[in-house]
Amino acid sequence: MTYAADRIEEEAAYLAYHFHWSLDDVLDLEHGDRRRYVGRAAALVERSAQA
């Protein structure tokens, strides 16, 4: 099973936008780390929307 390139791009854009990380920094993350940070960013966005 491969992880779709468009999904990686979506995650990279999401993290770069929310954490202001460079594309290289995001792409250097291990898959599990990248997914974990996407979850953290999503939680922050959701918490902010509820405030």
Side-chain angles (χ1 to χ4, degrees):
M1 174 187 260
T2 60
Y3 204 66
D6 58 340
R7 183 71 179 146
I8 293 172
E9 287 180 8
E10 183 178 286
E11 291 175 1
Y14 192 79
L15 291 175
Y17 177 80
H18 288 287
F19 293 134
H20 307 282
W21 293 347
S22 72
L23 179 60
D24 287 339
D25 289 341
V26 174
L27 294 178
D28 282 345
L29 293 170
E30 294 292 328
H31 175 76
D33 292 336
R34 192 176 59 249
R35 293 293 308 140
R36 191 169 36 258
Y37 281 115
V38 166
R40 300 265 180 181
L44 290 170
V45 168
E46 185 175 324
R47 190 178 317 154
S48 176
Q50 293 174 355

